Amino acid sequence: MGIATFQQYQDGYYTFLFDDGVQLDFEEIHPKALYHYDLKNDDSYIGKSFKLSFIEVFDDADQAIYRIERLELL
């Protein structure tokens, strides 16, 4: 789990900035997490801190896709 600030949703990616300065773009979020937080449509979450856990999945072309598994507003 890490602490990150939600930056934006753009072009199918959810961008988060972690406390250590690393920025990650997530292509997927578990549906249960999106049920609680509509990051795609609700701009009020921009700049808010979340505790999140994620996994790295590789597609058929061996490209990494980052998927948020758990998301909790702090």
Side-chain angles (χ1 to χ4, degrees):
M1 282 231 160
I3 305 295
T5 303
F6 179 60
Q7 301 293 300
Q8 67 179 352
Y9 174 81
Q10 186 174 3
D11 299 327
Y13 292 93
Y14 302 87
T15 303
F16 283 84
L17 179 63
F18 286 83
D19 287 345
D20 61 2
V22 173
Q23 180 175 303
L24 280 179
D25 295 322
F26 294 92
E27 191 169 341
E28 299 177 356
I29 298 181
H30 193 283
K32 285 186 180 181
L34 280 179
Y35 174 77
H36 293 289
Y37 309 107
D38 185 9
L39 300 178
K40 183 177 179 179
N41 299 306
D42 189 346
D43 289 343
S44 70
Y45 290 115
I46 293 174
K48 302 284 174 128
S49 294
F50 289 85
K51 186 189 310 186
L52 59 88
S53 63
F54 64 93
I55 59 172
E56 183 178 33
V57 180
F58 291 91
D59 64 11
D60 294 336
D62 281 337
Q63 292 183 344
I65 295 171
Y66 294 102
R67 175 186 167 104
I68 294 175
E69 292 293 303
R70 288 188 65 214
L71 190 64
E72 178 184 339
L73 183 63
L74 296 178

